[in-house]
Amino acid sequence: MSAHINMPHNVGKTSSTPSLNVKGEQPTSLHQVSHDNHDTNAVVVDWDGPDDSANPKNWVFRRKWAATIVVSSFTFITPVSSSMVAPATLQIAGEFGVTNTAIIAMMTSVFVLGFAVGPLFLGPLSEIFGRSRVLQLANLWFFVWNLGCGFAQNKGELIAFRLLAGLGGSAPLAVGGGVLGDVWHPEERGKAIAIYSLAPLLGPVIGPVCGAWIAERSTWRWVFWSTSIIDAVIQFFGIFYLQETFAPLLLERKAAAIRKTMDAEKAQNPNVYTVFEAAGQRSWTAIFRKALTRPFLIFFREKIAQLLGVYMAFIYGLFYIFLTAMPAIYEGQYHEKTSIAGLHYIAFGVGLTLASQVNARYMDRIYIYFKNKNNGVREPEFRLPSMVPGTIILPIGMFITGWAAQNKVHWIVTDIGIALVGGGMILLFQSIQTYVVDTFTLHAASALAAVSCLRSFAGFGFPLFAPAMYNSLGYGKGNTILACVAIVLGCPAPWLFWKYGKKIRMKSNYAHKSH
């Protein structure tokens, strides 16, 4: 979406001057406008037309995909760290003398508590200081504390370091969607978000597979050191390939370069500001007043964020229940070794990957089909159709997994159920995240932070009660209850948003009313 502004009726563009691009070479197109009675000689800086190559949406595909892959890599490695420790928790508990099952589960899930808190601040900060800077500094924070987890000497240190690492690791989840919204047009966005959405779910699946073998063949400390090494490699590539994408900040840099070229001695020197500042959106007082509170306001005022936040919270809670329960299922029910039991996470990964790739292939096609059918008018609701199979596949997979594990049916049946659960989850995540990005666009980072907050609390809390639930009810009845809740919450959701989503958006202070 090109940067633009709807100027007041009394504002008239009068001239263009020689121009200067964001790198500070020669000016681009600026518009001198008569911007009300108080400022008759202002220069408003905008993109140099709809095809301006400085606009991230007009970057070449190679540059767009470089940013997408780096962000997705950040989004992949931090969830790997969140779950890689799961197969090693019994080893850690033995070393630190922990017997409480809730504390043992917390060693894994406390990382996700950082995911809940971090986006509320990191999302808005990316709209102040830029996406790239926040992402890379937050990743360095994650690197330091994740490395420190490998040196923890007691359960308190480990839990505290995990929480702090989670705060930094939440940045890609909070900011990544904003980066994709910055660089991709809506018709192109589906494939990019398919990869980005797969990363935070595939990461926690690959993590335990590797963590199980590391814990068995070496020590649990190498679980953290190995992820830190990989994170350092990703950080290295991020420095070179993750460039700034946030339009208001890029235009501010462009305006600053223009100010430097003006003669400060001239009495008639015009004021220079961007179209966002002209609209009253980018003054520092407005930034600190609005941006830091925006995720909270979106969550408490926007029905879309509330409803999708509750549903995503439930799905994410289920995700972490499965991640923490799988070692108990395969070691307890099927009597497998830790390393072999960890291989069953591959079933989860197969379901996630296959469903993601199918959805990536068809998501944009479905969007374009409905856009053409709607006389070329874009609507975020055109992202919802792929939710429908997800709401069906997920509970079916849960029924199969629960009763197969309960009755100790051959492990391949349980794996098939787990693969269906993974496929259903990724379809729901991709549809919801793309819908949120298309709906809130410029404020996508804050909107995703609002939606992600509740889901991360669920990812932290659900695994704490899951062991008691399964011990009391068994895997069959426990998963049946969860599957019924998934049906009640999920099946009506895409139909309700398809019918009422636009009406809700029309009343929103943050969502785009038309596309």
Side-chain angles (χ1 to χ4, degrees):
M1 181 183 66
S2 298
H4 67 279
I5 183 171
N6 294 323
M7 304 299 290
H9 68 276
N10 63 333
V11 175
K13 296 176 183 177
T14 60
S15 66
S16 292
T17 64
S19 6
L20 197 147
N21 66 22
V22 280
K23 295 183 180 177
E25 293 164 4
Q26 284 294 313
T28 56
S29 135
L30 0 146
H31 302 297
Q32 282 205 331
V33 298
S34 175
H35 187 69
D36 67 32
N37 295 331
H38 301 288
D39 192 357
T40 58
N41 193 30
V43 174
V44 179
V45 180
D46 198 349
W47 298 121
D48 192 15
D51 299 320
D52 187 352
S53 61
N55 184 346
K57 281 194 170 58
N58 295 327
W59 285 356
V60 296
F61 267 40
R62 183 179 60 207
R63 194 174 175 190
K64 290 183 179 184
W65 277 112
T68 300
I69 290 170
V70 170
V71 169
S72 298
S73 298
F74 281 140
T75 311
F76 171 78
I77 190 59
T78 51
V80 164
S81 182
S82 78
S83 64
M84 196 168 174
V85 71
T89 51
L90 294 180
Q91 188 183 114
I92 298 171
E95 183 173 328
F96 292 156
V98 181
T99 56
N100 187 303
T101 56
I103 298 297
I104 293 173
M106 188 183 294
M107 291 178 184
T108 299
S109 66
V110 71
F111 189 94
V112 189
L113 186 60
F115 280 13
V117 178
L120 297 175
F121 303 96
L122 295 173
L125 285 174
S126 76
E127 295 170 6
I128 299 173
F129 301 107
R131 317 287 199 200
S132 179
R133 189 178 302 172
V134 169
L135 270 172
Q136 303 212 43
L137 290 176
N139 186 65
L140 285 175
W141 176 276
F142 160 75
F143 171 81
V144 169
W145 293 110
N146 189 63
L147 187 66
C149 287
F151 295 98
Q153 299 301 310
N154 54 62
K155 66 180 181 182
E157 287 184 4
L158 180 62
I159 291 173
F161 292 170
R162 290 273 290 164
L163 175 61
L164 291 169
L167 287 172
S170 68
L173 299 175
V175 181
V179 172
L180 302 190
D182 292 340
V183 302
W184 294 101
H185 292 285
E187 304 93 308
E188 307 166 334
R189 200 174 287 155
K191 290 181 181 178
I193 290 191
I195 294 174
Y196 168 75
S197 300
L198 177 62
L201 296 183
L202 190 59
V205 171
I206 292 176
V209 176
C210 301
W213 286 92
I214 292 172
E216 187 172 287
R217 301 300 176 92
S218 180
T219 169
W220 62 267
R221 297 183 186 277
W222 268 105
V223 169
F224 298 104
W225 295 338
S226 60
T227 52
S228 296
I229 291 170
I230 297 171
D231 182 60
V233 173
I234 296 172
Q235 177 74 46
F236 175 79
F237 284 101
I239 292 171
F240 296 100
Y241 294 106
L242 183 59
Q243 301 171 11
E244 187 52 57
T245 63
F246 191 49
L249 185 65
L250 292 175
L251 289 177
E252 283 176 9
R253 292 175 181 175
K254 181 176 173 181
I258 291 168
R259 291 187 194 101
K260 290 181 181 179
T261 65
M262 293 182 170
D263 188 350
E265 300 298 323
K266 290 182 179 179
Q268 293 295 320
N269 197 29
N271 292 323
V272 179
Y273 45 80
T274 72
V275 290
F276 296 96
E277 292 169 319
Q281 297 175 13
R282 293 293 295 173
S283 69
W284 280 100
T285 54
I287 287 171
F288 281 100
R289 185 178 67 251
K290 294 181 180 179
L292 292 177
T293 59
R294 190 180 296 123
F296 303 96
L297 294 176
I298 287 177
F299 185 77
F300 288 110
R301 293 181 180 178
E302 299 292 331
K303 290 184 174 62
I304 290 175
Q306 292 167 358
L307 296 173
L308 293 179
V310 169
Y311 187 42
M312 284 190 75
F314 177 73
I315 302 302
Y316 206 62
L318 292 181
F319 181 58
Y320 270 86
I321 283 179
F322 270 75
L323 290 180
T324 55
M326 283 175 67
I329 290 175
Y330 289 102
E331 293 177 35
Q333 298 293 99
Y334 294 98
H335 308 293
E336 296 177 349
K337 293 192 303 182
T338 299
S339 56
I340 300 300
L343 293 176
H344 293 280
Y345 285 96
I346 295 174
F348 221 147
V350 168
L352 290 168
T353 304
L354 289 179
S356 173
Q357 294 311 303
V358 171
N359 199 31
R361 183 176 295 272
Y362 290 102
M363 186 185 293
D364 286 336
R365 294 184 187 181
I366 293 170
Y367 183 89
I368 293 170
Y369 168 79
F370 282 109
K371 186 190 79 169
N372 293 338
K373 196 174 179 180
N374 196 39
N375 298 320
V377 179
R378 304 165 179 165
E379 300 290 356
E381 286 72 30
F382 299 158
R383 300 295 187 184
L384 296 173
S386 58
M387 276 186 72
V388 176
T391 61
I392 299 169
I393 294 171
L394 174 62
I396 291 175
M398 295 180 68
F399 282 125
I400 293 173
T401 302
W403 289 108
Q406 178 74 29
N407 295 296
K408 300 182 181 179
V409 179
H410 192 278
W411 58 261
I412 192 66
V413 179
T414 307
D415 278 7
I416 290 171
I418 288 172
L420 291 174
V421 170
M425 285 180 176
I426 193 63
L427 291 174
L428 295 169
F429 265 77
Q430 288 176 343
S431 299
I432 291 172
Q433 286 199 304
T434 315
Y435 180 57
V436 169
V437 170
D438 284 1
T439 297
F440 294 98
T441 53
L442 190 63
H443 303 307
S446 292
L448 288 172
V451 172
S452 298
C453 176
L454 193 59
R455 90 177 190 194
S456 298
F457 278 121
F460 165 71
F462 275 38
L464 302 184
F465 73 76
M469 179 188 71
Y470 286 136
N471 288 337
S472 176
L473 300 175
Y475 293 108
K477 290 182 180 178
N479 273 18
T480 297
I481 292 171
L482 295 174
C484 290
V485 176
I487 292 171
V488 171
L489 288 178
C491 288
W495 306 101
L496 291 174
F497 277 107
W498 184 268
K499 185 173 183 179
Y500 300 108
K502 185 172 182 178
K503 293 180 181 178
I504 296 173
R505 285 189 292 109
M506 295 300 289
K507 299 177 182 178
S508 169
N509 293 323
Y510 298 99
H512 276 267
K513 307 299 189 294
S514 61
H515 286 64

